[in-house]
Amino acid sequence: MDCGEQYPVDKIIYACEKCGGLLDVQHDTDYLNKTVNKALFDQRLGTFEAPYNSGVWRYKEMIYPDVPNDIVVSRPEGNTNLYRNAKLAAWAGVETLYLKHEGENPTGSFKDRGMTGGVTQARVLGIERVACASTGNTSASLAAYAAWAGLEGIVFFQNKQIALGKLAQAIAYGATGIQVDADFDRNLELVREIADRLGIYVLNSINPFRLEGQKSIMIEVIQQLRWQVPDWIVVPGGNLGNSSAFGKGLHELYDIGLIDRLPRMAIIQADGANPLYRSYKSGFREYEPVHAETVATAIKIGNPVNYKKAVRSLKWTDGVVEEVSDQEIMDAKALIDRQGIGCEPASACTLAGLQKLVRSGIIKPRETVVGILTGHVLKDADAVIDYHSNQLEGIHPQYANKLHQSEATIEALSAILGVPEATPA
Ligand code: F0G
């Protein structure tokens, strides 16, 4: 992406050999102009035919056009709901809020959209072992897709603070799991080095084929909005793979004329893991990795590998970056959960950040907003129970749903249920 050097798609490579920069999958715009249109993608909606039944491969021409259909590794992923929610919109201060729930993917997070691209590429390359470092969701997804494709999955976990649901998934799906005494950022360095030595394929978001899959979130949102462009896309930022992929996808949709303008993008970070936010505040003149600490363990990342691509996305979309506290994250999560939608803590950055951006006047009440929910509520059940039982250190739950204890008598139950409790919005 920096120096313009080109490499063939069947070369195993994660960084430019000339300048060390990140790699993009480069599409042939002439081919896309000739083959891609709204009718083609609309006609594939609801099909049973693989791989076009996937919410990633429905857009195959824009993702990985010449890969043979029979080697695509798909569960199928995507096709996630876009919820319009009036109560959460009112809470955030906008008239129209849609939430795109990527927790509805096969393994419960948006990572499946990237993993279908990455594991398919492992097959193209004929590699039998795939690996990642992860705060949890990438490993759950890698483990599932590797198992499905008959490959060995290898996952490096930081030694503390992995949400149990994610750890359980990786073990259940049969990955070789290693808890390493290091944080996510160090684990990512280690996985890259060991993979080089042992001939293992790295499936973190430095892998550009992952980001091709993830950009389908933007294409699907816009298709679900009948090809109308919202004013804002709000997304949590950790390793910044999604933000990078979204900018690229939107730019390509614009280039081939499927949309006539770009939405603005807002990236929300936890204030304890906010290197992009800090850099944004300096007008991107400075960038310093941070030591990350947040209740939203999925985004506990201090040195995001996709920093440069995320900055590019922000420039393309006239985007902004906001930060939110753990308290704000957990309260916003409780509200999303209470709508019957639910999400994991990192996802709730979206709603918490949106409210802050409306209050500061950056997002206007009449602008249409799409917020991305990145992971399923059950990924981190401990966070739910701890919040509602006031066990989270430093957090005072504003929307706690107290669990009652009762003797097994009608009288005791009536004492609890007789008078309906006032339910907050
Ligand atoms: N939300 C969830 C639920 C995540 O799992 C992640 C990243 C993010 C948001 C941030 O997305 O990295 O594209 O900016 N989880 C990675 C993992 C790092 O290892 O599972 P990003």
Side-chain angles (χ1 to χ4, degrees):
M1 69 169 282
D2 291 329
C3 73
E5 185 72 7
Q6 301 206 5
Y7 301 93
V9 283
D10 57 357
K11 185 175 167 75
I12 302 165
I13 181 172
Y14 314 100
C16 178
E17 287 170 354
K18 220 171 119 196
C19 74
L22 294 164
L23 301 172
D24 272 325
V25 172
Q26 185 73 49
H27 289 271
D28 176 349
T29 313
D30 287 343
Y31 165 82
L32 290 180
N33 276 327
K34 268 185 251 147
T35 49
V36 164
N37 53 59
K38 295 173 191 171
L40 172 74
F41 294 155
D42 283 348
Q43 174 203 317
R44 289 179 184 158
L45 283 173
T47 184
F48 293 118
E49 192 195 335
Y52 304 105
N53 56 350
S54 149
V56 175
W57 298 100
R58 181 186 313 131
Y59 316 107
K60 182 165 185 263
E61 291 77 3
M62 291 186 71
I63 309 291
Y64 198 159
D66 43 13
V67 71
N69 282 353
D70 59 351
I71 70 162
V72 168
V73 183
S74 172
R75 286 288 305 278
E77 47 293 309
N79 294 311
T80 56
N81 283 302
L82 185 66
Y83 297 104
R84 187 169 177 170
N85 189 285
K87 277 191 182 160
L88 296 177
W91 184 82
V94 289
E95 283 174 23
T96 312
L97 172 64
Y98 295 93
L99 292 170
K100 174 79 171 155
H101 206 328
E102 288 299 303
E104 295 174 353
N105 271 291
T107 76
S109 85
F110 69 92
K111 303 289 180 180
D112 295 342
R113 293 197 188 243
M115 213 46 78
T116 184
V119 174
T120 296
Q121 179 63 4
R123 267 201 176 157
V124 169
L125 299 169
I127 302 180
E128 298 286 324
R129 306 173 89 190
V130 292
C132 70
S134 179
T135 57
N137 279 324
T138 305
S139 51
S141 183
L142 179 142
Y145 278 73
W148 192 238
L151 308 178
E152 185 194 353
I154 302 164
V155 298
F156 283 32
F157 291 112
Q158 54 186 357
N159 60 349
K160 281 176 267 179
Q161 281 199 305
I162 313 146
L164 221 51
K166 306 173 189 182
L167 183 61
Q169 282 181 293
I171 294 171
Y173 300 140
T176 303
I178 309 173
Q179 283 195 305
V180 185
D181 188 15
D183 63 9
F184 171 83
D185 301 292
R186 176 71 188 129
N187 264 315
L188 185 51
E189 289 169 7
L190 285 168
V191 90
R192 287 179 72 169
E193 203 175 316
I194 196 101
D196 264 355
R197 286 195 197 189
L198 303 183
I200 300 168
Y201 194 48
V202 179
L203 285 178
N204 278 98
S205 56
I206 42 160
N207 185 315
F209 293 93
R210 278 253 330 255
L211 299 191
E212 286 308 292
Q214 280 170 223
K215 81 184 185 192
S216 67
I217 299 173
M218 284 302 98
I219 316 176
E220 195 170 87
V221 159
I222 288 171
Q223 185 175 27
Q224 283 170 312
L225 293 173
R226 317 287 194 275
W227 302 103
Q228 299 301 304
V229 180
D231 296 307
W232 286 92
I233 302 289
V234 186
V235 61
N239 218 12
L240 304 176
N242 257 349
S243 326
S244 301
F246 289 8
K248 183 171 188 282
L250 291 165
H251 201 271
E252 288 166 353
L253 285 170
Y254 181 79
D255 273 352
I256 60 172
L258 287 195
I259 55 175
D260 56 9
R261 66 183 176 100
L262 265 60
R264 295 182 73 186
M265 187 157 73
I267 304 175
I268 318 297
Q269 294 206 294
D271 63 8
N274 62 354
L276 180 72
Y277 176 76
R278 285 167 185 244
S279 176
Y280 168 74
K281 283 286 165 192
S282 78
F284 301 118
R285 279 182 299 279
E286 286 158 35
Y287 170 76
E288 283 285 331
V290 302
H291 172 75
E293 212 47 72
T294 168
V295 69
T297 54
I299 51 172
K300 201 176 142 234
I301 295 173
N303 190 16
V305 288
N306 291 300
Y307 166 77
K308 274 196 168 179
K309 283 187 178 175
V311 172
R312 180 178 68 176
S313 290
L314 287 165
K315 290 189 173 156
W316 276 339
T317 61
D318 189 19
V320 300
V321 186
E322 183 56 278
E323 63 172 4
V324 289
S325 66
D326 283 358
Q327 175 79 48
E328 290 166 330
I329 290 172
M330 290 309 294
D331 285 334
K333 172 180 146 56
L335 291 172
I336 296 165
D337 292 353
R338 208 166 186 133
Q339 294 305 306
I341 302 173
C343 66
E344 65 166 286
S347 310
C349 283
T350 290
L351 184 67
L354 170 61
Q355 191 195 52
K356 264 184 121 164
L357 289 167
V358 173
R359 285 189 174 162
S360 62
I362 293 172
I363 297 184
K364 307 278 181 291
R366 302 198 72 148
E367 290 180 314
T368 300
V369 179
V370 174
I372 310 298
L373 300 179
T374 46
H376 195 278
V377 65
L378 287 177
K379 286 281 189 173
D380 194 349
D382 285 338
V384 177
I385 304 299
D386 290 350
Y387 175 87
H388 290 285
S389 59
N390 198 9
Q391 301 285 313
L392 282 178
E393 215 185 299
I395 289 174
H396 309 287
Q398 303 296 304
Y399 307 106
N401 179 18
K402 194 178 126 225
L403 182 64
H404 301 276
Q405 306 293 331
S406 174
E407 283 167 28
T409 64
I410 295 301
E411 291 71 24
L413 287 165
S414 300
I416 296 168
L417 297 174
V419 189
E421 276 181 33
T423 31

